[in-house]
Amino acid sequence: MNAGHGAASAPGVPNTGYELVVRNARVATASDVFDTDIGVIGGRIAALARGLPPGAREIDAAGRWVLPGGVDAHCHLAQKTGDGSVMADDFLSGTRSAACGGTTTVIPFAAQLKGESLVQAVRDYHAVADGQACVDYAFHMIVSDATPRVTEEELPALIDQGYTSFKIYMTYDDLKLDDRQILDVLYAARRHGAMTMIHAESSDCIAWLAERMLAEGLDTPPYHALSRPPVAEREATHRAISLAELLDTPILIVHVSGPDAIEQIRWAQTRGLRIYAETCPQYLFLTAADLEGDLLHGARCICSPPPRDEAAQQAVWNGLANGTFQVFSSDHAPFRFEGAGGKKPQGEHTPFNHVPNGIPGLETRLALLFSEGVLAGRLDITEFVALTATRPARLYGLYPRKGTIAIGADADMVVWDTGAARVIRNADLHHNVDYTPYEGRTVHAWPAITLSRGQVVYADGVFQGRAGHGRFLACERPEPARPRRAARRHAPWLAALSRMDPIAQAPSGGKAGRE
Ligand code: DUC
Ligand code: ZN
Ligand code: ZN
């Protein structure tokens, strides 16, 4: 396994070729646990063996867990909004916060506003990202205007260039697509091999309830949750699954909040459909009660779908443990509580429907799950790695470069301190948000050292990275986004489309998504 060749050594250090050796590591991947030293050359893992010769730099893990750096496949940084709100984190502060929480790859969203070109949206997003990031990054896209030009020209070209996933919305007037438009987007995903992420909440159910609540003066944060009940999420989840089944196209349902949607997803998975699902810390550690309090206190925890109740938290834990969920992301959507552009555009009496949706969580995602999942005995360490690094990398075309500890992978790794209690305090975090929903919560795991391509970006409680270290990652077409093919037997309507549909025609095992 020792691939020690090539690199120059620092003055006075024997030339073993390793620019870095992480010694005495207890490594977990998505499938295995083993004790090893890790040799790094050129920012990549070059050797996994005990007793490696000295490297130019050495880190002694002293038997602690060394895990793949986190891949946060759902976070919002410097994203354009249409309502005057301003994301508190740009690529510098967001990726700094990520590094300090053990995340070494982020995938935020290049958002298309209605009427805008998707290509231009991606170009604009590069302008705010490139040169700023402290860890590596890829882009999802948000498709809010599914015109023929977008689905037939822009999406295929962008997918070819490494933007191989996009999110669509079933709610929010400025973002939502109707079912016909969703089918257009899914068909493009099918033809070109991309992964579609879906925000599944029923726009009309929510609007109907919210209008009536607001007319009655019921406009405080708890009504945000009451206007977006589980049934609205369940209905949209089922509809999204049905649209995906119609076109035999894999989808990933993002930020799933509780048992109603989980049951739909499990049902679809049991039917053999390629339906993937993501959940987030807010559905394990918050409830709708966190939206209560004086005036806008609860606006800090306004996000969509909203956090539910303790029974829903348990259902989400069960879904993590039984494989219903493939991904655990932060859905970091950072808005400051105080000040312009933040949670209170109309002051202390801002109605809930004017509070920007989203909560911060990039830096706390891994520690919360490690502590309450692994250390509390709810998840195996391998499952933790799969949920937070390996599967998101696979689902979005970054594996095996990202998301694992293996020869040839980027040397993105985290040495973990476990055992000691640590109280989460916003004052200790590195994002640009003036609160954390997890203030005062105790965790028993926290990164000791974060390495991005072999460079220390966080150690001993101190950010040690720099803007511009992070590189843009062009994504491959994800294998999990391939249609099931066998479904053709059960979907003769797709066979009828086959003259237009290269996937339906290609022999089994053929290349997905190439026209
Ligand atoms: N959806 C997200 O994915 N993030 C924040 C708010 C939302 O509605
Ligand atoms: Zn969403
Ligand atoms: Zn989000």
Side-chain angles (χ1 to χ4, degrees):
M1 291 227 269
N2 190 333
H5 54 79
S9 62
V13 174
N15 187 355
T16 65
Y18 299 122
E19 64 205 28
L20 169 69
V21 172
V22 179
R23 218 165 275 290
N24 304 313
R26 184 141 182 79
V27 167
T29 66
S31 56
D32 298 303
V33 171
F34 50 94
D35 297 315
T36 188
D37 300 339
I38 305 165
V40 176
I41 296 175
R44 295 193 173 204
I45 296 169
L48 292 170
R50 293 187 206 222
L52 289 180
R57 290 178 291 129
E58 295 256 334
I59 291 172
D60 186 4
R64 288 174 291 182
W65 286 113
V66 178
L67 306 184
V71 176
D72 197 333
H74 184 162
C75 55
H76 303 266
L77 302 176
Q79 188 179 309
K80 279 182 280 195
T81 63
D83 62 358
S85 60
V86 180
M87 295 226 155
D89 281 313
D90 57 16
F91 271 78
L92 201 169
S93 65
T95 57
R96 177 183 66 203
S97 179
C100 297
T103 288
T104 49
T105 302
V106 295
I107 318 182
F109 297 83
Q112 177 203 30
L113 303 182
K114 284 205 195 289
E116 193 180 50
S117 144
L118 193 58
V119 168
Q120 189 59 43
V122 170
R123 212 175 280 146
D124 291 347
Y125 208 44
H126 273 294
V128 298
D130 297 350
Q132 294 300 306
C134 311
V135 301
D136 292 349
Y137 59 99
F139 291 172
H140 304 296
M141 300 174 286
I142 289 175
V143 180
S144 68
D145 205 356
T147 61
R149 179 177 157 78
V150 168
T151 56
E152 290 164 25
E153 296 173 32
E154 294 198 313
L155 271 179
L158 287 161
I159 292 166
D160 270 341
Q161 292 163 31
Y163 308 92
T164 61
S165 52
F166 34 83
K167 181 177 176 190
I168 57 176
Y169 288 78
M170 300 172 81
T171 186
Y172 297 134
D173 289 344
D174 54 343
L175 293 170
K176 72 181 179 192
L177 304 183
D178 63 26
D179 290 358
R180 177 72 181 260
Q181 293 164 330
I182 292 173
L183 288 172
D184 287 339
V185 172
L186 290 179
Y187 197 51
R190 174 186 169 85
R191 287 166 67 90
H192 301 286
M195 180 64 79
T196 307
M197 310 158 79
I198 302 193
H199 179 133
E201 284 185 297
S202 169
S203 181
D204 285 336
C205 295
I206 293 166
W208 196 94
L209 288 170
E211 272 172 27
R212 280 158 181 76
M213 289 176 185
L214 291 164
E216 297 288 327
L218 308 174
D219 65 357
T220 56
Y223 292 99
H224 168 81
L226 287 171
S227 70
R228 310 182 86 96
V231 61
E233 185 183 357
R234 185 186 78 202
E235 184 279 324
T237 301
H238 184 86
R239 185 153 39 98
I241 289 167
S242 301
L243 298 176
E245 181 175 2
L246 186 81
L247 295 186
D248 179 28
T249 302
I251 56 170
L252 187 145
I253 310 281
V254 292
H255 47 49
V256 174
S257 73
D260 299 70
I262 290 172
E263 281 167 13
Q264 301 301 310
I265 292 160
R266 194 75 178 161
W267 168 81
Q269 292 168 344
T270 304
R271 281 163 60 81
L273 304 178
R274 285 191 129 183
I275 303 295
Y276 308 106
E278 169 202 83
T279 193
C280 313
Q282 49 269 38
Y283 307 117
L284 293 176
F285 300 106
L286 302 178
T287 67
D290 289 298
L291 275 64
E292 294 169 2
D294 288 346
L295 296 172
L296 278 198
H297 178 86
R300 292 174 175 82
C301 294
I302 282 188
C303 60
S304 295
R308 308 292 184 188
D309 58 16
E310 279 85 5
Q313 292 179 338
Q314 186 56 50
V316 174
W317 278 118
N318 294 346
L320 287 167
N322 72 14
T324 307
F325 291 113
Q326 289 71 45
V327 189
F328 185 75
S329 306
S330 69
D331 194 7
H332 181 82
F335 297 98
R336 291 176 72 87
F337 187 62
E338 303 291 350
K343 285 278 190 179
K344 300 186 281 190
Q346 297 174 27
E348 293 302 330
H349 296 280
T350 301
F352 69 79
N353 61 325
H354 289 280
V355 175
N357 272 236
I359 61 176
L362 251 174
E363 195 165 344
T364 45
R365 170 185 75 124
L366 294 174
L368 285 167
L369 194 70
F370 200 137
S371 195
E372 290 301 317
V374 180
L375 299 180
R378 296 180 172 104
L379 296 174
D380 291 344
I381 188 88
T382 52
E383 194 57 25
F384 172 84
V385 172
L387 286 160
T388 58
T390 314
R391 287 210 206 96
R394 288 182 71 92
L395 284 160
Y396 299 118
L398 291 172
Y399 184 85
R401 179 170 176 191
K402 300 294 187 187
T404 192
I405 292 180
I407 290 177
D410 282 353
D412 293 355
M413 299 179 280
V414 180
V415 182
W416 281 87
D417 274 338
T418 56
R422 176 185 174 118
V423 179
I424 295 176
R425 301 273 180 224
N426 197 55
D428 297 330
L429 301 180
H430 298 78
H431 59 193
N432 191 31
V433 188
D434 53 358
Y435 74 97
T436 167
Y438 310 109
E439 184 78 30
R441 179 179 280 275
T442 299
V443 289
H444 294 87
W446 199 265
I449 302 170
T450 306
L451 295 160
S452 166
R453 282 182 274 108
Q455 300 296 313
V456 175
V457 290
Y458 169 81
D460 305 323
V462 179
F463 174 65
Q464 301 193 3
R466 63 173 176 83
H469 166 80
R471 294 180 186 156
F472 175 72
L473 302 162
C475 298
E476 302 289 328
R477 288 174 166 81
E479 192 287 329
R482 288 169 61 93
R484 286 176 309 147
R485 317 188 60 82
R488 270 185 291 152
R489 286 196 300 278
H490 311 293
W493 52 91
L494 285 176
L497 292 180
S498 62
R499 290 177 63 188
M500 301 186 308
D501 183 358
I503 305 280
Q505 282 184 327
S508 186
K511 271 218 159 211
R514 309 250 177 213
E515 297 238 40

